Amino acid sequence: PALTAILAYASVSGYRSGNNPLLAPLAMNEWEADDLRDPYVVEVDGMFYMFYSGKDADGVSGIGYATSRNGRKWFRSPENPIFSAAEAGFDRGGVAAPIVTVVDGIWTLYYAASSEAGGRTTAFGKATSTAPEDSWDRSEEPILQIGPDLAWDSLSITPGSVIHGAGHYWLYYSGFSANGDIGIGLATSV
């Protein structure tokens, strides 16, 4: 298996974490035993929350999180994975690449979804919760899907970031086509 880890690298200021990797796949955690990636960190009330993707030996990805007070030493949630592939629907093959926002006490998880285990991510989903360890209410339909045939984003899409302001949401994402086209797109919502 291709093991990956989440690392802290030296910055321009010269800081290098002595705790590398920050997180690595754990064989005892089947859901993340084969792969670990896509860190996304938010700070809420002095606590850092790192959401990340893990993948099991069958190629099914899920989402977990770890917490830290200093951004250097991380503790996995015992509730992991907190978000997994659905029984049916657009995200039945796996969920990955989490982006999390917290607005007015509501945690919103945006994620890449695949309809086949180990398959390309062809849609984005959205789920909400009152806290990371609580249950997540997932959208039954994707909030964004790959583009039509021959479009720059017709093969696969990956979320990049979500910005909330002035009552609007901006979702920046990467798109890929079978022709080798690559680009950055923007989807907006009110």
Side-chain angles (χ1 to χ4, degrees):
L3 296 179
T4 58
I6 297 172
L7 306 172
Y9 285 100
S11 69
V12 175
S13 65
Y15 173 77
R16 179 169 171 84
S17 173
N19 298 332
N20 276 317
L22 296 176
L23 293 177
L26 290 178
M28 64 187 231
N29 294 343
E30 289 181 21
W31 79 274
E32 66 173 51
D34 197 52
D35 195 7
L36 189 77
R37 64 180 66 221
D38 306 321
Y40 193 87
V41 178
V42 294
E43 184 271 331
V44 177
D45 298 329
M47 180 69 78
F48 295 100
Y49 295 82
M50 179 194 300
F51 293 84
Y52 62 94
S53 306
K55 190 182 288 186
D56 68 18
D58 295 325
V60 178
S61 55
I63 295 171
Y65 79 99
T67 57
S68 175
R69 288 272 179 213
N70 62 14
R72 296 182 184 117
K73 186 171 184 177
W74 294 88
F75 300 92
R76 285 176 167 89
S77 168
E79 306 298 322
N80 284 343
I82 59 159
F83 198 74
S84 301
E87 293 291 321
F90 72 95
D91 54 0
R92 68 185 173 278
V95 296
I99 294 175
V100 176
T101 62
V102 183
V103 177
D104 298 329
I106 301 297
W107 295 69
T108 303
L109 168 66
Y110 301 89
Y111 61 94
S114 101
S115 58
E116 302 173 8
R120 295 185 307 272
T121 56
T122 57
F124 296 155
K126 175 182 165 185
T128 57
S129 182
T130 54
E133 67 278 6
D134 291 344
S135 63
W136 290 83
D137 295 320
R138 77 173 70 221
S139 58
E140 290 185 24
E141 299 296 324
I143 61 169
L144 185 69
Q145 293 180 296
I146 56 173
D149 287 347
L150 304 179
W152 67 275
D153 61 352
S154 60
L155 183 66
S156 181
I157 52 177
T158 304
S161 60
V162 172
I163 298 172
H164 173 257
H168 292 81
Y169 290 86
W170 293 271
L171 168 62
Y172 293 90
Y173 68 98
S174 298
F176 309 89
S177 78
N179 304 356
D181 296 329
I182 300 172
I184 296 173
L186 171 64
T188 60
S189 173
V190 235

